[in-house]
Amino acid sequence: MTPIPTLAVFGDSLTEGYGLSKQQALPAVLQQLLSVHGIPVNALNFGVSGETSTDGLLRIDSLLAAHPEAVILEFGANDFYVEDPVPKIEQNLDTMLTAFIEKKIPVLLVGIRAVAEIPKSYRTAFAPIFGRLAKRHGVPLYPDILAPYLGNPTLTLMDGLHPNEQGVVTIAQDMLPMVIDLIQKIG
């Protein structure tokens, strides 16, 4: 019997499932959708609400200690909310991607766009980070985790920012083809 591969989903509240149960969070929903497609995985939730890419970098060793066979890397929302310097964010994500690649762990980079409340000059500087990193490291990029749900009040919690249960399902369904490709790279 083939062992079930481990997929670590590493990020902030959008990974953790802010305001939702563990079974409604993105890792659990992806695991369920993959199962429906006959692809068994053990999806680990390495999401912590409020974290920036700097916080993620501080936690990377605990994620690597879990020996994931694939990783979904999702940081950036809290970084732009606190307007962390763009070069610092890019360097943090670059360091994490390098760590996964050196260990031959396939990775899906998840992008995010800075929302309209953030100053335009910052949004303009922030926008190309994920595309540059994906190209530099030769990894697939899911372009914008907010795109499937943000702005649709039926898919968000009362805060208008975080996805509700159906919002998470919408993200997971949209992301699924790229996650299937990621799992197929395990080897």
Side-chain angles (χ1 to χ4, degrees), residues 73-148:
L73 180 61
E74 178 275 311
F75 283 99
N78 296 303
D79 299 77
F80 73 66
Y81 269 112
V82 298
E83 294 182 41
D84 267 352
V86 169
K88 177 183 169 191
I89 300 165
E90 188 164 349
Q91 181 58 54
N92 290 339
L93 292 168
D94 186 81
T95 301
M96 287 187 262
L97 286 166
T98 299
F100 300 137
I101 290 164
E102 284 176 353
K103 295 199 175 291
K104 300 191 178 358
I105 302 170
V107 60
L108 171 61
L109 179 62
V110 175
I112 189 167
R113 72 180 186 279
V115 295
E117 301 89 84
I118 304 301
K120 187 175 190 312
S121 59
Y122 187 89
R123 291 194 322 260
T124 302
F126 182 85
I129 291 174
F130 299 96
R132 279 196 303 259
L133 288 166
K135 187 174 182 181
R136 184 179 310 143
H137 291 279
V139 298
L141 172 64
Y142 180 76
D144 182 9
I145 194 167
L146 302 179

Side-chain angles (χ1 to χ4, degrees), residues 1-186:
M1 195 164 121
T2 309
I4 295 175
T6 300
L7 168 66
V9 189
F10 189 33
D12 52 35
S13 59
L14 298 173
T15 291
E16 183 186 45
Y18 175 84
L20 304 172
S21 74
K22 287 285 184 205
Q23 289 312 111
Q24 296 169 330
L26 184 60
V29 174
L30 284 170
Q31 180 175 313
Q32 181 185 14
L33 289 175
L34 288 163
S35 177
V36 167
H37 283 81
I39 304 169
V41 305
N42 180 20
L44 305 177
N45 190 333
F46 276 88
V48 176
S49 290
E51 285 205 342
T52 64
S53 60
T54 299
D55 300 311
L57 193 53
L58 295 172
R59 283 195 301 125
I60 195 168
D61 288 341
S62 65
L63 180 136
L64 292 171
H67 303 290
E69 287 150 292
V71 172
I72 296 174
L73 180 61
E74 178 275 311
F75 283 99
N78 296 303
D79 299 77
F80 73 66
Y81 269 112
V82 298
E83 294 182 41
D84 267 352
V86 169
K88 177 183 169 191
I89 300 165
E90 188 164 349
Q91 181 58 54
N92 290 339
L93 292 168
D94 186 81
T95 301
M96 287 187 262
L97 286 166
T98 299
F100 300 137
I101 290 164
E102 284 176 353
K103 295 199 175 291
K104 300 191 178 358
I105 302 170
V107 60
L108 171 61
L109 179 62
V110 175
I112 189 167
R113 72 180 186 279
V115 295
E117 301 89 84
I118 304 301
K120 187 175 190 312
S121 59
Y122 187 89
R123 291 194 322 260
T124 302
F126 182 85
I129 291 174
F130 299 96
R132 279 196 303 259
L133 288 166
K135 187 174 182 181
R136 184 179 310 143
H137 291 279
V139 298
L141 172 64
Y142 180 76
D144 182 9
I145 194 167
L146 302 179
Y149 79 93
L150 195 66
N152 182 339
T154 66
L155 298 178
T156 58
L157 295 177
M158 294 295 286
D159 65 8
L161 297 173
H162 291 93
N164 62 19
E165 183 180 356
Q166 189 54 50
V168 172
V169 169
T170 303
I171 294 167
Q173 288 171 334
D174 193 57
M175 189 184 284
L176 187 64
M178 296 189 82
V179 178
I180 290 171
D181 287 348
L182 178 70
I183 300 302
Q184 290 172 342
K185 290 179 184 170
I186 295 173

